[in-house]
Amino acid sequence: YFQGFDFSAAPATAFAPASVANVATGFDILGFAVNALGDHITVTRSATPGVRITGSSGVVSGIPRQPERNTAGRALQALNTAVKPAFGFDMHIHKGIPLGSGLGGSAASAVGAVVAANALLEREVPISAHYSLLENHAGFSRLPRKETRKPQLRDRDSWGFPSPVEL
């Protein structure tokens, strides 16, 4: 069925949902994704080396098209530098998260760009490596350092909080 199809020319699109990191006063350790809002980042292989933002659409117009001035562009540049593929990346950003909304739009675009590009690589980079690609990159200097971060994946039940139904 797919015989003769050039998968390397196919674009990859990642959906990155909005997020809320501060649920309520005193609960700033809780966060959640908002799947109703999100950015769609489409990345295509290019014969030209490097990273290009070919366009944008959605609820935000006029985002920077220079990769070094755009969080998605910077994230993709970090991946490109680390992996050194034999091709470049063209990226289209469809913003579903308004800028300045406090819903993590910049982070969503950055993560979406790296995840979409990852799907185009000859050998995918493990997802756990994406954070380390960004942590030493000048554009992401606010990320917590390895020494200070202590990630813990928790759900509502493991914290002992009541469900909305129980409330």
XYZ file of all heavy atoms in Angstrom, residues 46-91:
328
model
N 14.030 19.741 5.009
C 14.416 20.657 3.943
C 15.809 20.283 3.457
O 16.650 19.859 4.248
C 14.413 22.093 4.475
O 15.019 22.965 3.555
N 16.055 20.461 2.173
C 17.386 20.208 1.629
C 18.376 21.270 2.095
O 19.582 21.051 2.094
C 17.332 20.178 0.102
N 17.867 22.433 2.522
C 18.717 23.519 2.999
C 18.989 23.322 4.487
O 18.057 23.203 5.273
C 18.011 24.875 2.781
O 17.631 24.982 1.416
C 18.914 26.025 3.165
N 20.260 23.278 4.905
C 20.572 23.095 6.329
C 20.010 24.230 7.189
O 19.754 25.322 6.705
C 22.101 23.114 6.368
C 22.550 22.903 4.971
C 21.450 23.407 4.087
N 19.814 23.945 8.463
C 19.370 24.963 9.401
C 17.885 24.883 9.690
O 17.200 23.925 9.328
N 17.400 25.912 10.354
C 16.008 25.984 10.799
C 15.359 27.234 10.219
O 15.932 28.325 10.274
C 15.940 26.034 12.344
C 14.530 26.262 12.821
C 16.515 24.756 12.952
N 14.176 27.078 9.655
C 13.405 28.191 9.129
C 11.972 28.116 9.635
O 11.392 27.038 9.700
C 13.387 28.167 7.593
C 14.643 28.720 6.979
C 14.865 28.193 5.584
N 14.827 26.721 5.516
C 15.809 25.932 5.971
N 16.869 26.446 6.513
N 15.713 24.621 5.880
N 11.421 29.265 9.972
C 9.996 29.358 10.302
C 9.339 29.897 9.041
O 9.535 31.049 8.662
C 9.745 30.274 11.516
C 10.483 29.715 12.734
C 8.246 30.398 11.777
C 10.464 30.621 13.952
N 8.573 29.036 8.387
C 8.017 29.387 7.076
C 6.706 30.145 7.177
O 6.276 30.745 6.205
C 7.808 28.122 6.224
O 6.942 27.230 6.935
C 9.142 27.436 5.940
N 6.069 30.107 8.338
C 4.820 30.824 8.487
C 4.167 30.555 9.824
O 4.612 29.695 10.591
N 3.116 31.328 10.077
C 2.343 31.137 11.302
C 0.887 31.470 11.016
O 0.573 32.187 10.072
C 2.894 32.017 12.429
O 2.765 33.382 12.103
N 0.034 30.929 11.850
C -1.393 31.172 11.731
C -2.020 30.993 13.110
O -1.324 30.702 14.076
C -2.015 30.191 10.714
O -1.750 28.845 11.094
N -3.316 31.189 13.198
C -4.011 30.971 14.465
C -4.381 32.254 15.180
O -4.546 33.303 14.551
N -4.461 32.166 16.497
C -4.954 33.276 17.312
C -3.921 34.371 17.527
O -4.244 35.430 18.062
C -5.484 32.796 18.688
C -6.647 31.835 18.522
C -4.380 32.175 19.524
N -2.693 34.136 17.130
C -1.630 35.124 17.288
C -1.033 35.408 15.914
O -0.684 34.491 15.190
C -0.520 34.606 18.233
C 0.607 35.624 18.334
C -1.083 34.285 19.599
N -0.941 36.669 15.570
C -0.304 37.013 14.304
C 0.983 37.767 14.606
O 1.151 38.359 15.660
C -1.234 37.881 13.452
O -1.512 39.089 14.125
N 1.890 37.708 13.683
C 3.117 38.478 13.808
C 4.140 37.930 14.783
O 4.933 38.692 15.320
N 4.165 36.617 15.006
C 5.225 36.069 15.863
C 6.539 36.136 15.093
O 6.544 36.110 13.865
C 4.914 34.623 16.334
C 4.811 33.665 15.157
C 3.663 34.592 17.182
C 4.696 32.216 15.573
N 7.664 36.233 15.787
C 8.949 36.337 15.088
C 9.207 35.143 14.168
O 9.005 34.003 14.554
C 9.975 36.364 16.230
C 9.225 36.827 17.419
C 7.820 36.314 17.242
N 9.657 35.439 12.959
C 9.968 34.383 12.004
C 11.451 34.023 12.027
O 11.860 33.052 11.409
C 9.573 34.811 10.587
C 8.094 35.106 10.403
C 7.274 33.956 9.899
N 7.647 33.403 8.639
C 7.092 33.692 7.478
N 6.127 34.566 7.404
N 7.494 33.095 6.386
N 12.258 34.802 12.735
C 13.669 34.479 12.878
C 13.777 33.442 13.989
O 13.355 33.701 15.124
C 14.496 35.713 13.268
C 14.353 36.888 12.332
C 13.159 37.774 12.682
O 12.393 37.495 13.576
N 13.000 38.837 11.916
N 14.340 32.260 13.710
C 14.389 31.188 14.708
C 15.011 31.605 16.040
O 14.544 31.199 17.098
C 15.218 30.094 14.032
C 15.045 30.342 12.583
C 14.906 31.828 12.431
N 16.032 32.451 15.995
C 16.696 32.850 17.241
C 15.838 33.792 18.093
O 16.138 34.008 19.262
C 18.068 33.482 16.951
C 18.033 34.745 16.124
C 17.874 34.520 14.616
O 17.898 33.360 14.162
O 17.722 35.519 13.901
N 14.754 34.313 17.561
C 13.863 35.204 18.307
C 12.533 34.535 18.653
O 11.606 35.195 19.099
C 13.598 36.472 17.497
C 14.878 37.297 17.291
C 14.598 38.671 16.727
N 13.688 39.398 17.597
C 12.616 40.059 17.156
N 12.340 40.094 15.867
N 11.841 40.691 17.988
N 12.429 33.239 18.437
C 11.180 32.514 18.633
C 11.483 31.274 19.479
O 12.430 30.545 19.185
C 10.639 32.121 17.247
C 9.331 31.417 17.300
O 9.237 30.325 17.847
N 8.308 32.030 16.726
N 10.700 31.018 20.520
C 11.019 29.882 21.397
C 10.968 28.554 20.652
O 11.796 27.680 20.905
C 10.086 29.820 22.624
O 8.735 29.781 22.185
C 10.308 30.993 23.551
N 10.026 28.390 19.744
C 9.980 27.147 18.955
C 11.205 27.055 18.053
O 11.808 25.984 17.910
C 8.702 27.099 18.123
N 11.597 28.168 17.468
C 12.782 28.197 16.620
C 14.044 27.892 17.402
O 14.908 27.137 16.951
N 14.161 28.456 18.598
C 15.339 28.204 19.429
C 15.412 26.746 19.861
O 16.496 26.153 19.894
C 15.328 29.117 20.643
C 15.619 30.551 20.278
C 15.425 31.427 21.448
N 16.711 31.899 21.918
C 16.856 32.949 22.693
N 15.805 33.617 23.094
N 18.042 33.331 23.079
N 14.280 26.184 20.207
C 14.258 24.771 20.605
C 14.680 23.882 19.444
O 15.472 22.953 19.612
C 12.865 24.392 21.101
N 14.167 24.177 18.259
C 14.521 23.387 17.082
C 15.995 23.593 16.708
O 16.668 22.647 16.285
C 13.591 23.738 15.921
C 13.571 22.787 14.745
C 13.465 21.337 15.163
C 12.431 23.161 13.802
N 16.512 24.796 16.893
C 17.937 25.029 16.667
C 18.788 24.194 17.627
O 19.817 23.653 17.231
C 18.276 26.511 16.832
C 17.863 27.364 15.666
C 18.188 28.831 15.895
O 18.055 29.363 16.992
N 18.606 29.493 14.827
N 18.353 24.092 18.883
C 19.097 23.285 19.865
C 19.118 21.819 19.446
O 20.153 21.155 19.522
C 18.478 23.443 21.260
N 17.973 21.304 18.989
C 17.925 19.919 18.503
C 18.818 19.758 17.276
O 19.590 18.800 17.177
C 16.484 19.521 18.173
C 16.313 18.127 17.578
C 16.580 17.061 18.626
C 14.924 17.965 16.993
N 18.729 20.695 16.356
C 19.518 20.647 15.127
C 21.020 20.649 15.441
O 21.789 19.893 14.841
C 19.154 21.841 14.241
C 19.736 21.746 12.858
O 19.667 20.705 12.217
N 20.308 22.829 12.392
N 21.447 21.454 16.387
C 22.852 21.518 16.781
C 23.298 20.215 17.433
O 24.394 19.716 17.176
C 23.086 22.693 17.753
O 22.731 23.902 17.070
C 24.521 22.767 18.210
N 22.437 19.642 18.270
C 22.792 18.419 18.991
C 22.834 17.198 18.080
O 23.720 16.353 18.203
C 21.802 18.176 20.125
N 21.906 17.104 17.147
C 21.762 15.898 16.322
C 22.542 15.992 15.007
O 22.986 14.983 14.483
C 20.261 15.619 16.069
C 20.061 14.444 15.141
C 19.539 15.382 17.377
N 22.678 17.204 14.478
C 23.382 17.440 13.217
C 22.851 16.563 12.069
O 23.599 15.784 11.469
C 24.885 17.246 13.388
C 25.523 18.202 14.363
C 26.990 17.863 14.568
C 27.658 18.723 15.584
N 27.009 18.917 16.846
N 21.557 16.693 11.749
C 21.010 15.874 10.656
C 21.571 16.319 9.301
O 22.106 17.422 9.172
C 19.504 16.138 10.739
C 19.402 17.501 11.337
C 20.569 17.621 12.283
N 21.419 15.474 8.316
C 21.912 15.770 6.965
C 20.906 16.614 6.184
O 21.002 16.721 4.963
C 22.181 14.461 6.226
N 19.968 17.225 6.866
C 18.922 18.040 6.248
C 18.579 19.176 7.209
O 19.019 19.200 8.353
C 17.680 17.188 5.936
C 17.194 16.377 7.107
C 16.326 16.911 8.049
C 17.631 15.071 7.287
C 15.893 16.166 9.135
C 17.192 14.308 8.371
C 16.323 14.858 9.292
N 17.792 20.113 6.722
C 17.320 21.210 7.557
C 15.860 21.007 7.937
O 15.248 19.998 7.569
N 15.318 21.970 8.668
C 13.924 21.904 9.113
C 13.187 23.172 8.709
O 13.661 24.281 8.953
C 13.841 21.790 10.643
C 14.434 20.529 11.203
C 15.637 20.558 11.880
C 13.767 19.317 11.079
C 16.178 19.410 12.435
C 14.307 18.156 11.613
C 15.506 18.200 12.288
N 12.012 23.001 8.098
C 11.078 24.101 7.855
C 9.917 23.894 8.807
O 9.411 22.768 8.946
C 10.573 24.095 6.410
C 11.649 24.505 5.411
O 12.664 25.093 5.834
O 11.465 24.228 4.213
N 9.477 24.973 9.453
C 8.449 24.848 10.487
C 7.338 25.865 10.272
O 7.594 27.038 9.978
C 9.114 25.069 11.857
C 8.156 25.145 13.010
S 8.974 25.213 14.633
C 10.215 26.469 14.426
